[in-house]
Short mmCIF file of all heavy atoms in Angstrom, two decimals:
data_model
loop_
_atom_site.label_atom_id
_atom_site.label_comp_id
_atom_site.label_asym_id
_atom_site.label_seq_id
_atom_site.Cartn_x
_atom_site.Cartn_y
_atom_site.Cartn_z
N MET A 235 98.59 78.25 129.28
CA MET A 235 97.15 78.01 129.17
C MET A 235 96.87 76.52 129.05
O MET A 235 96.13 76.08 128.20
CB MET A 235 96.60 78.75 127.94
CG MET A 235 96.61 80.26 128.06
SD MET A 235 95.53 80.90 129.33
CE MET A 235 93.99 81.05 128.44
N SER A 236 97.56 75.73 129.83
CA SER A 236 97.36 74.28 129.74
C SER A 236 96.18 73.82 130.58
O SER A 236 95.88 72.65 130.64
CB SER A 236 98.63 73.56 130.19
OG SER A 236 98.95 73.99 131.49
N THR A 237 95.54 74.79 131.25
CA THR A 237 94.39 74.43 132.09
C THR A 237 93.14 74.23 131.25
O THR A 237 92.19 73.61 131.70
CB THR A 237 94.12 75.52 133.14
OG1 THR A 237 94.07 76.77 132.47
CG2 THR A 237 95.20 75.55 134.18
N TYR A 238 93.15 74.73 130.03
CA TYR A 238 91.97 74.62 129.17
C TYR A 238 91.86 73.18 128.64
O TYR A 238 92.77 72.68 128.00
CB TYR A 238 92.07 75.62 128.02
CG TYR A 238 90.85 75.57 127.12
CD1 TYR A 238 89.68 76.21 127.50
CD2 TYR A 238 90.88 74.89 125.93
CE1 TYR A 238 88.55 76.17 126.71
CE2 TYR A 238 89.76 74.84 125.11
CZ TYR A 238 88.60 75.48 125.51
OH TYR A 238 87.49 75.43 124.70
N ARG A 239 90.75 72.56 128.93
CA ARG A 239 90.56 71.18 128.52
C ARG A 239 89.38 71.01 127.57
O ARG A 239 89.03 69.90 127.21
CB ARG A 239 90.34 70.30 129.76
CG ARG A 239 91.60 70.13 130.57
CD ARG A 239 91.30 69.46 131.89
NE ARG A 239 92.53 69.18 132.62
CZ ARG A 239 93.29 68.11 132.41
NH1 ARG A 239 92.95 67.23 131.51
NH2 ARG A 239 94.40 67.93 133.11
N GLY A 240 88.78 72.11 127.20
CA GLY A 240 87.61 72.04 126.33
C GLY A 240 88.02 71.84 124.88
O GLY A 240 89.19 71.68 124.57
N PRO A 241 87.05 71.85 124.03
CA PRO A 241 87.32 71.69 122.60
C PRO A 241 88.12 72.87 122.06
O PRO A 241 88.09 73.96 122.62
CB PRO A 241 85.93 71.63 121.97
CG PRO A 241 85.00 72.21 122.98
CD PRO A 241 85.62 72.00 124.33
N ARG A 242 88.84 72.62 120.99
CA ARG A 242 89.66 73.68 120.41
C ARG A 242 89.19 74.01 119.01
O ARG A 242 88.63 73.16 118.32
CB ARG A 242 91.13 73.23 120.36
CG ARG A 242 91.72 73.11 121.73
CD ARG A 242 93.20 72.88 121.71
NE ARG A 242 93.72 72.96 123.07
CZ ARG A 242 94.10 74.10 123.64
NH1 ARG A 242 94.02 75.23 122.95
NH2 ARG A 242 94.54 74.12 124.87
N CYS A 243 89.44 75.24 118.62
CA CYS A 243 89.09 75.69 117.27
C CYS A 243 89.86 74.84 116.27
O CYS A 243 91.07 74.70 116.37
CB CYS A 243 89.46 77.17 117.13
SG CYS A 243 89.35 77.77 115.44
N ARG A 244 89.17 74.29 115.31
CA ARG A 244 89.83 73.41 114.36
C ARG A 244 90.64 74.20 113.34
O ARG A 244 91.40 73.63 112.56
CB ARG A 244 88.79 72.55 113.65
CG ARG A 244 87.81 73.37 112.81
CD ARG A 244 86.75 72.48 112.23
NE ARG A 244 85.82 73.25 111.41
CZ ARG A 244 84.74 72.75 110.84
NH1 ARG A 244 84.45 71.49 111.02
NH2 ARG A 244 83.96 73.48 110.10
N SER A 245 90.48 75.51 113.37
CA SER A 245 91.22 76.32 112.41
C SER A 245 92.50 76.89 113.02
O SER A 245 93.57 76.75 112.44
CB SER A 245 90.33 77.46 111.93
OG SER A 245 90.94 78.16 110.88
N CYS A 246 92.40 77.50 114.20
CA CYS A 246 93.58 78.12 114.79
C CYS A 246 94.02 77.40 116.05
O CYS A 246 95.00 77.78 116.67
CB CYS A 246 93.31 79.60 115.11
SG CYS A 246 92.16 79.84 116.46
N ASN A 247 93.31 76.34 116.42
CA ASN A 247 93.66 75.52 117.58
C ASN A 247 93.54 76.28 118.88
O ASN A 247 94.06 75.86 119.90
CB ASN A 247 95.08 74.96 117.43
CG ASN A 247 95.19 73.62 118.13
OD1 ASN A 247 94.24 72.86 118.18
ND2 ASN A 247 96.35 73.32 118.66
N GLY A 248 92.86 77.39 118.88
CA GLY A 248 92.63 78.13 120.11
C GLY A 248 91.42 77.57 120.83
O GLY A 248 90.68 76.76 120.26
N PRO A 249 91.21 77.97 122.05
CA PRO A 249 90.05 77.47 122.80
C PRO A 249 88.74 77.88 122.13
O PRO A 249 88.58 79.02 121.72
CB PRO A 249 90.20 78.11 124.18
CG PRO A 249 91.23 79.15 124.05
CD PRO A 249 92.04 78.87 122.82
N CYS A 250 87.87 76.93 121.98
CA CYS A 250 86.55 77.21 121.41
C CYS A 250 85.57 76.29 122.09
O CYS A 250 85.45 75.12 121.73
CB CYS A 250 86.56 76.98 119.90
SG CYS A 250 84.96 77.28 119.13
N TRP A 251 84.91 76.78 123.12
CA TRP A 251 84.07 75.93 123.94
C TRP A 251 82.69 75.75 123.37
O TRP A 251 81.91 74.95 123.83
CB TRP A 251 83.99 76.49 125.36
CG TRP A 251 83.68 77.96 125.40
CD1 TRP A 251 84.58 78.98 125.41
CD2 TRP A 251 82.37 78.57 125.37
NE1 TRP A 251 83.92 80.19 125.39
CE2 TRP A 251 82.57 79.97 125.38
CE3 TRP A 251 81.07 78.06 125.36
CZ2 TRP A 251 81.50 80.87 125.35
CZ3 TRP A 251 80.00 78.97 125.32
CH2 TRP A 251 80.23 80.35 125.33
N GLN A 252 82.34 76.52 122.35
CA GLN A 252 80.96 76.48 121.85
C GLN A 252 80.90 75.81 120.49
O GLN A 252 81.62 76.17 119.55
CB GLN A 252 80.43 77.91 121.75
CG GLN A 252 78.92 77.94 121.64
CD GLN A 252 78.39 79.37 121.59
OE1 GLN A 252 79.14 80.30 121.32
NE2 GLN A 252 77.12 79.54 121.85
N TRP A 253 80.06 74.80 120.39
CA TRP A 253 79.81 74.11 119.11
C TRP A 253 79.00 75.03 118.21
O TRP A 253 77.93 75.51 118.57
CB TRP A 253 79.07 72.81 119.41
CG TRP A 253 78.65 72.04 118.20
CD1 TRP A 253 77.38 71.96 117.71
CD2 TRP A 253 79.47 71.24 117.35
NE1 TRP A 253 77.38 71.14 116.60
CE2 TRP A 253 78.64 70.69 116.36
CE3 TRP A 253 80.85 70.92 117.34
CZ2 TRP A 253 79.12 69.84 115.36
CZ3 TRP A 253 81.32 70.09 116.36
CH2 TRP A 253 80.47 69.56 115.39
N LYS A 254 79.50 75.33 117.03
CA LYS A 254 78.86 76.33 116.16
C LYS A 254 77.97 75.68 115.09
O LYS A 254 77.63 76.30 114.09
CB LYS A 254 79.94 77.17 115.47
CG LYS A 254 80.84 77.92 116.40
CD LYS A 254 80.09 78.97 117.19
CE LYS A 254 81.02 80.03 117.75
NZ LYS A 254 82.17 79.52 118.46
N GLY A 255 77.66 74.41 115.29
CA GLY A 255 76.78 73.76 114.33
C GLY A 255 77.56 72.86 113.38
O GLY A 255 78.78 72.83 113.40
N SER A 256 76.84 72.14 112.53
CA SER A 256 77.48 71.13 111.69
C SER A 256 78.38 71.76 110.63
O SER A 256 79.29 71.13 110.13
CB SER A 256 76.41 70.27 111.02
OG SER A 256 75.52 71.09 110.29
N VAL A 257 78.13 73.01 110.31
CA VAL A 257 78.97 73.65 109.28
C VAL A 257 80.31 74.06 109.84
O VAL A 257 81.36 73.74 109.29
CB VAL A 257 78.24 74.88 108.70
CG1 VAL A 257 79.14 75.63 107.72
CG2 VAL A 257 76.96 74.45 108.00
N TRP A 258 80.30 74.72 110.99
CA TRP A 258 81.52 75.27 111.55
C TRP A 258 82.15 74.36 112.58
O TRP A 258 83.36 74.42 112.76
CB TRP A 258 81.24 76.64 112.18
CG TRP A 258 80.91 77.65 111.14
CD1 TRP A 258 79.70 78.21 110.91
CD2 TRP A 258 81.80 78.22 110.17
NE1 TRP A 258 79.78 79.09 109.86
CE2 TRP A 258 81.05 79.11 109.40
CE3 TRP A 258 83.16 78.06 109.91
CZ2 TRP A 258 81.61 79.84 108.35
CZ3 TRP A 258 83.71 78.78 108.86
CH2 TRP A 258 82.94 79.66 108.10
N GLY A 259 81.33 73.53 113.24
CA GLY A 259 81.88 72.70 114.30
C GLY A 259 82.49 73.58 115.37
O GLY A 259 81.91 74.59 115.76
N TYR A 260 83.69 73.19 115.84
CA TYR A 260 84.38 74.02 116.81
C TYR A 260 85.29 74.99 116.07
O TYR A 260 86.42 74.66 115.73
CB TYR A 260 85.18 73.16 117.79
CG TYR A 260 84.29 72.42 118.75
CD1 TYR A 260 84.11 71.05 118.65
CD2 TYR A 260 83.62 73.12 119.75
CE1 TYR A 260 83.28 70.38 119.53
CE2 TYR A 260 82.79 72.46 120.62
CZ TYR A 260 82.62 71.08 120.51
OH TYR A 260 81.81 70.43 121.36
N THR A 261 84.76 76.14 115.77
CA THR A 261 85.56 77.19 115.15
C THR A 261 85.29 78.47 115.92
O THR A 261 84.14 78.80 116.18
CB THR A 261 85.16 77.38 113.67
OG1 THR A 261 85.20 76.12 113.02
CG2 THR A 261 86.09 78.33 112.97
N CYS A 262 86.34 79.15 116.33
CA CYS A 262 86.14 80.34 117.15
C CYS A 262 85.58 81.47 116.30
O CYS A 262 85.69 81.45 115.06
CB CYS A 262 87.45 80.75 117.83
SG CYS A 262 88.67 81.44 116.72
N ALA A 263 84.98 82.45 116.96
CA ALA A 263 84.29 83.53 116.25
C ALA A 263 85.24 84.26 115.30
O ALA A 263 84.87 84.65 114.20
CB ALA A 263 83.70 84.50 117.26
N ALA A 264 86.49 84.43 115.73
CA ALA A 264 87.46 85.15 114.89
C ALA A 264 87.70 84.40 113.59
O ALA A 264 87.76 85.00 112.52
CB ALA A 264 88.78 85.31 115.66
N CYS A 265 87.82 83.07 113.68
CA CYS A 265 88.08 82.29 112.47
C CYS A 265 86.84 82.25 111.58
O CYS A 265 86.96 82.28 110.36
CB CYS A 265 88.50 80.87 112.84
SG CYS A 265 90.18 80.83 113.47
N ILE A 266 85.66 82.21 112.18
CA ILE A 266 84.44 82.23 111.37
C ILE A 266 84.36 83.55 110.61
O ILE A 266 84.08 83.58 109.41
CB ILE A 266 83.20 82.03 112.26
CG1 ILE A 266 83.15 80.58 112.75
CG2 ILE A 266 81.93 82.36 111.48
CD1 ILE A 266 81.98 80.30 113.68
N ALA A 267 84.67 84.65 111.30
CA ALA A 267 84.64 85.95 110.64
C ALA A 267 85.65 85.99 109.50
O ALA A 267 85.35 86.50 108.42
CB ALA A 267 84.97 87.04 111.67
N LYS A 268 86.83 85.41 109.73
CA LYS A 268 87.88 85.39 108.72
C LYS A 268 87.38 84.61 107.50
O LYS A 268 87.53 85.04 106.35
CB LYS A 268 89.13 84.73 109.30
CG LYS A 268 90.40 85.33 108.80
CD LYS A 268 91.56 85.15 109.77
CE LYS A 268 91.69 83.77 110.31
NZ LYS A 268 92.78 83.66 111.30
N HIS A 269 86.78 83.44 107.78
CA HIS A 269 86.27 82.62 106.68
C HIS A 269 85.19 83.35 105.90
O HIS A 269 85.14 83.28 104.68
CB HIS A 269 85.67 81.32 107.25
CG HIS A 269 86.70 80.25 107.40
ND1 HIS A 269 87.44 80.08 108.54
CD2 HIS A 269 87.12 79.31 106.52
CE1 HIS A 269 88.26 79.07 108.36
NE2 HIS A 269 88.09 78.58 107.15
N GLN A 270 84.32 84.03 106.63
CA GLN A 270 83.21 84.73 105.97
C GLN A 270 83.73 85.88 105.13
O GLN A 270 83.22 86.14 104.04
CB GLN A 270 82.21 85.20 107.01
CG GLN A 270 81.35 84.04 107.50
CD GLN A 270 80.45 84.42 108.64
OE1 GLN A 270 80.69 85.40 109.33
NE2 GLN A 270 79.43 83.63 108.88
N HIS A 271 84.79 86.56 105.62
CA HIS A 271 85.37 87.64 104.83
C HIS A 271 85.99 87.07 103.56
O HIS A 271 85.84 87.61 102.47
CB HIS A 271 86.43 88.38 105.65
CG HIS A 271 85.83 89.32 106.64
ND1 HIS A 271 86.47 89.67 107.80
CD2 HIS A 271 84.64 89.95 106.65
CE1 HIS A 271 85.68 90.50 108.49
NE2 HIS A 271 84.58 90.68 107.80
N ALA A 272 86.67 85.94 103.71
CA ALA A 272 87.30 85.30 102.55
C ALA A 272 86.24 84.87 101.55
O ALA A 272 86.38 85.07 100.34
CB ALA A 272 88.13 84.11 103.00
N ALA A 273 85.14 84.30 102.06
CA ALA A 273 84.06 83.85 101.17
C ALA A 273 83.43 85.04 100.47
O ALA A 273 83.13 84.98 99.28
CB ALA A 273 83.01 83.10 101.98
N ALA A 274 83.27 86.14 101.20
CA ALA A 274 82.68 87.34 100.60
C ALA A 274 83.60 87.88 99.51
O ALA A 274 83.13 88.30 98.45
CB ALA A 274 82.47 88.40 101.68
N ALA A 275 84.90 87.84 99.76
CA ALA A 275 85.86 88.33 98.76
C ALA A 275 85.80 87.45 97.52
O ALA A 275 85.85 87.94 96.39
CB ALA A 275 87.26 88.32 99.35
N ARG A 276 85.70 86.13 97.74
CA ARG A 276 85.61 85.21 96.59
C ARG A 276 84.34 85.47 95.79
O ARG A 276 84.37 85.51 94.56
CB ARG A 276 85.62 83.76 97.07
CG ARG A 276 87.02 83.21 97.28
CD ARG A 276 87.01 81.70 97.31
NE ARG A 276 86.14 81.18 98.36
CZ ARG A 276 86.51 80.96 99.60
NH1 ARG A 276 87.75 81.22 99.97
NH2 ARG A 276 85.68 80.49 100.49
N ALA A 277 83.23 85.65 96.50
CA ALA A 277 81.95 85.90 95.82
C ALA A 277 82.04 87.20 95.04
O ALA A 277 81.52 87.31 93.93
CB ALA A 277 80.83 85.96 96.84
N ASP A 278 82.70 88.18 95.63
CA ASP A 278 82.85 89.47 94.97
C ASP A 278 83.65 89.31 93.68
O ASP A 278 83.28 89.83 92.64
CB ASP A 278 83.57 90.42 95.94
CG ASP A 278 83.35 91.87 95.55
OD1 ASP A 278 82.21 92.22 95.22
OD2 ASP A 278 84.33 92.63 95.57
N ALA A 279 84.73 88.56 93.75
CA ALA A 279 85.56 88.33 92.57
C ALA A 279 84.77 87.60 91.50
O ALA A 279 84.86 87.91 90.31
CB ALA A 279 86.80 87.54 92.95
N ARG A 280 83.95 86.63 91.94
CA ARG A 280 83.14 85.86 90.99
C ARG A 280 82.12 86.77 90.31
O ARG A 280 81.91 86.70 89.10
CB ARG A 280 82.43 84.73 91.75
CG ARG A 280 82.03 83.58 90.86
CD ARG A 280 81.69 82.37 91.68
NE ARG A 280 80.71 82.68 92.71
CZ ARG A 280 80.78 82.28 93.95
NH1 ARG A 280 81.78 81.53 94.33
NH2 ARG A 280 79.88 82.60 94.83
N ASP A 281 81.54 87.68 91.11
CA ASP A 281 80.56 88.62 90.56
C ASP A 281 81.22 89.52 89.52
O ASP A 281 80.67 89.74 88.46
CB ASP A 281 79.98 89.49 91.67
CG ASP A 281 78.87 88.77 92.41
OD1 ASP A 281 78.56 87.64 92.02
OD2 ASP A 281 78.33 89.34 93.35
N ARG A 282 82.41 90.00 89.86
CA ARG A 282 83.11 90.88 88.94
C ARG A 282 83.40 90.15 87.63
O ARG A 282 83.21 90.69 86.55
CB ARG A 282 84.43 91.34 89.57
CG ARG A 282 84.31 92.70 90.23
CD ARG A 282 85.64 93.36 90.39
NE ARG A 282 86.51 92.62 91.28
CZ ARG A 282 86.50 92.77 92.60
NH1 ARG A 282 85.70 93.64 93.15
NH2 ARG A 282 87.29 92.07 93.36
N LYS A 283 83.84 88.91 87.73
CA LYS A 283 84.16 88.11 86.56
C LYS A 283 82.92 87.89 85.70
O LYS A 283 82.96 88.01 84.48
CB LYS A 283 84.72 86.75 87.02
CG LYS A 283 85.63 86.12 85.98
CD LYS A 283 86.31 84.90 86.57
CE LYS A 283 86.70 83.93 85.47
NZ LYS A 283 87.03 82.62 86.00
N ALA A 284 81.79 87.58 86.38
CA ALA A 284 80.54 87.34 85.66
C ALA A 284 80.10 88.60 84.95
O ALA A 284 79.65 88.54 83.80
CB ALA A 284 79.47 86.87 86.64
N ARG A 285 80.26 89.72 85.63
CA ARG A 285 79.88 90.99 85.02
C ARG A 285 80.72 91.25 83.77
O ARG A 285 80.23 91.69 82.74
CB ARG A 285 80.05 92.13 86.02
CG ARG A 285 78.76 92.44 86.76
CD ARG A 285 78.80 93.81 87.37
NE ARG A 285 79.83 93.94 88.40
CZ ARG A 285 79.65 93.55 89.66
NH1 ARG A 285 78.52 93.04 90.03
NH2 ARG A 285 80.60 93.68 90.54
N LYS A 286 82.01 90.96 83.87
CA LYS A 286 82.92 91.17 82.76
C LYS A 286 82.52 90.28 81.58
O LYS A 286 82.49 90.72 80.44
CB LYS A 286 84.35 90.82 83.21
CG LYS A 286 85.41 91.71 82.57
CD LYS A 286 86.73 91.52 83.28
CE LYS A 286 87.88 91.46 82.29
NZ LYS A 286 89.13 91.02 82.93
N GLN A 287 82.19 89.03 81.89
CA GLN A 287 81.77 88.11 80.84
C GLN A 287 80.49 88.58 80.19
O GLN A 287 80.35 88.56 78.97
CB GLN A 287 81.58 86.70 81.41
CG GLN A 287 82.91 85.98 81.57
CD GLN A 287 82.76 84.69 82.34
OE1 GLN A 287 81.73 84.47 82.95
NE2 GLN A 287 83.77 83.87 82.31
N ASN A 288 79.55 89.04 81.00
CA ASN A 288 78.29 89.56 80.47
C ASN A 288 78.55 90.76 79.57
O ASN A 288 77.98 90.88 78.50
CB ASN A 288 77.36 89.96 81.62
CG ASN A 288 76.65 88.75 82.19
OD1 ASN A 288 76.60 87.71 81.54
ND2 ASN A 288 76.10 88.88 83.37
N ALA A 289 79.45 91.62 80.01
CA ALA A 289 79.74 92.82 79.25
C ALA A 289 80.36 92.46 77.91
O ALA A 289 79.98 92.99 76.87
CB ALA A 289 80.70 93.70 80.05
N SER A 290 81.30 91.52 77.88
CA SER A 290 81.94 91.15 76.62
C SER A 290 80.95 90.46 75.70
O SER A 290 80.98 90.60 74.49
CB SER A 290 83.15 90.27 76.89
OG SER A 290 82.76 89.06 77.48
N LYS A 291 80.04 89.67 76.32
CA LYS A 291 79.00 89.01 75.52
C LYS A 291 78.11 90.07 74.87
O LYS A 291 77.76 89.99 73.71
CB LYS A 291 78.16 88.12 76.45
CG LYS A 291 77.77 86.80 75.79
CD LYS A 291 76.85 86.00 76.66
CE LYS A 291 77.50 85.54 77.96
NZ LYS A 291 76.56 84.86 78.84
N LEU A 292 77.79 91.08 75.69
CA LEU A 292 76.94 92.17 75.21
C LEU A 292 77.62 92.88 74.04
O LEU A 292 77.03 93.11 73.01
CB LEU A 292 76.74 93.16 76.37
CG LEU A 292 75.33 93.73 76.51
CD1 LEU A 292 74.41 92.66 77.07
CD2 LEU A 292 75.38 94.91 77.48
N PHE A 293 78.90 93.16 74.19
CA PHE A 293 79.63 93.86 73.14
C PHE A 293 79.78 92.96 71.92
O PHE A 293 79.79 93.42 70.79
CB PHE A 293 81.01 94.28 73.65
CG PHE A 293 80.96 95.52 74.49
CD1 PHE A 293 81.47 95.54 75.78
CD2 PHE A 293 80.39 96.68 73.98
CE1 PHE A 293 81.41 96.69 76.54
CE2 PHE A 293 80.33 97.83 74.74
CZ PHE A 293 80.85 97.83 76.03
N GLY A 294 79.92 91.66 72.16
CA GLY A 294 80.07 90.73 71.03
C GLY A 294 78.81 90.68 70.19
O GLY A 294 78.89 90.63 68.96
N ASN A 295 77.65 90.71 70.83
CA ASN A 295 76.39 90.65 70.09
C ASN A 295 76.04 92.01 69.48
O ASN A 295 75.43 92.09 68.44
CB ASN A 295 75.25 90.23 71.03
CG ASN A 295 75.46 88.80 71.50
OD1 ASN A 295 76.13 88.03 70.83
ND2 ASN A 295 74.89 88.46 72.63
N ASN A 296 76.48 93.03 70.17
CA ASN A 296 76.14 94.37 69.73
C ASN A 296 77.25 94.92 68.84
O ASN A 296 78.35 95.17 69.28
CB ASN A 296 75.94 95.25 70.98
CG ASN A 296 75.47 96.63 70.60
OD1 ASN A 296 75.20 96.91 69.43
ND2 ASN A 296 75.40 97.50 71.58
N ASP A 297 77.00 95.09 67.59
CA ASP A 297 78.03 95.54 66.65
C ASP A 297 78.18 97.05 66.76
O ASP A 297 77.78 97.80 65.88
CB ASP A 297 77.62 95.13 65.24
CG ASP A 297 78.81 95.23 64.29
OD1 ASP A 297 79.95 95.23 64.78
OD2 ASP A 297 78.57 95.32 63.09
N SER A 298 78.75 97.45 67.89
CA SER A 298 78.90 98.88 68.13
C SER A 298 80.13 99.40 67.39
O SER A 298 81.09 98.67 67.20
CB SER A 298 79.03 99.13 69.63
OG SER A 298 80.28 98.70 70.08
N PRO A 299 80.11 100.63 66.96
CA PRO A 299 81.23 101.21 66.19
C PRO A 299 82.56 101.10 66.92
O PRO A 299 83.58 100.87 66.28
CB PRO A 299 80.82 102.67 66.02
CG PRO A 299 79.35 102.71 66.29
CD PRO A 299 79.03 101.56 67.16
N ALA A 300 82.52 101.29 68.25
CA ALA A 300 83.77 101.27 69.02
C ALA A 300 84.44 99.90 68.90
O ALA A 300 85.64 99.82 68.69
CB ALA A 300 83.47 101.58 70.48
N VAL A 301 83.64 98.84 68.99
CA VAL A 301 84.21 97.50 68.92
C VAL A 301 84.74 97.22 67.51
O VAL A 301 85.81 96.70 67.32
CB VAL A 301 83.14 96.45 69.32
CG1 VAL A 301 83.65 95.04 69.02
CG2 VAL A 301 82.79 96.60 70.79
N SER A 302 83.99 97.62 66.49
CA SER A 302 84.40 97.39 65.09
C SER A 302 85.70 98.12 64.81
O SER A 302 86.60 97.61 64.15
CB SER A 302 83.34 97.90 64.13
OG SER A 302 82.08 97.44 64.51
N LYS A 303 85.82 99.32 65.35
CA LYS A 303 87.01 100.12 65.14
C LYS A 303 88.22 99.43 65.74
O LYS A 303 89.27 99.31 65.09
CB LYS A 303 86.80 101.48 65.81
CG LYS A 303 87.75 102.55 65.30
CD LYS A 303 87.36 103.89 65.90
CE LYS A 303 88.51 104.88 65.78
NZ LYS A 303 88.29 106.04 66.63
N VAL A 304 88.02 98.89 66.95
CA VAL A 304 89.12 98.21 67.63
C VAL A 304 89.48 96.94 66.85
O VAL A 304 90.65 96.63 66.65
CB VAL A 304 88.73 97.86 69.09
CG1 VAL A 304 89.74 96.90 69.68
CG2 VAL A 304 88.61 99.13 69.91
N ALA A 305 88.46 96.22 66.37
CA ALA A 305 88.70 94.95 65.69
C ALA A 305 89.41 95.18 64.36
O ALA A 305 90.27 94.41 63.98
CB ALA A 305 87.37 94.25 65.46
N SER A 306 89.06 96.23 63.63
CA SER A 306 89.65 96.44 62.31
C SER A 306 90.91 97.31 62.39
O SER A 306 91.55 97.54 61.38
CB SER A 306 88.62 97.11 61.40
OG SER A 306 88.25 98.38 61.94
N GLY A 307 91.23 97.78 63.57
CA GLY A 307 92.35 98.69 63.72
C GLY A 307 93.71 98.00 63.71
O GLY A 307 94.74 98.64 63.80
N ARG A 308 93.74 96.64 63.63
CA ARG A 308 95.03 95.96 63.68
C ARG A 308 95.41 95.25 62.40
O ARG A 308 94.67 95.34 61.44
CB ARG A 308 95.07 94.94 64.80
CG ARG A 308 93.82 94.09 64.88
CD ARG A 308 93.85 93.16 66.07
NE ARG A 308 94.14 91.80 65.57
CZ ARG A 308 94.95 90.96 66.17
NH1 ARG A 308 95.57 91.31 67.22
NH2 ARG A 308 95.16 89.77 65.70
ZN1 ZN B 459 90.06 79.96 115.59
#
């Protein structure tokens, strides 16, 4: 495939003839999809972590019997 002289994907170095804008530049659709999946997974993990923190904060403020039992059980 040495006949291809156009721009190449900056991620996988494959042919990418279309400029995808200032954010992606020359990135092929497959790599953009990969990046977006990775970003979505990161956001998902961040959401889960935030939810966990909120939940522990909630339990910390709320003197529920279950928490007191666990705290005094050791
Ligand atoms: Zn690519």
Side-chain angles (χ1 to χ4, degrees):
M235 292 295 273
S236 56
T237 50
Y238 182 79
R239 288 171 175 277
R242 291 189 172 273
C243 170
R244 63 185 181 184
S245 188
C246 69
N247 210 33
C250 179
W251 49 269
Q252 197 178 18
W253 176 255
K254 300 295 200 310
S256 56
V257 175
W258 292 109
Y260 288 109
T261 308
C262 71
C265 286
I266 289 178
K268 215 154 47 184
H269 273 90
Q270 283 173 340
H271 283 153
R276 275 198 302 273
D278 199 43
R280 203 165 52 224
D281 278 358
R282 264 201 295 274
K283 206 171 155 195
R285 266 200 296 277
K286 215 168 139 191
Q287 280 171 347
N288 279 343
S290 64
K291 219 185 295 175
L292 220 74
F293 281 125
N295 294 336
N296 185 6
D297 196 20
S298 72
V301 170
S302 311
K303 199 174 162 194
V304 168
S306 61
R308 44 185 256 139

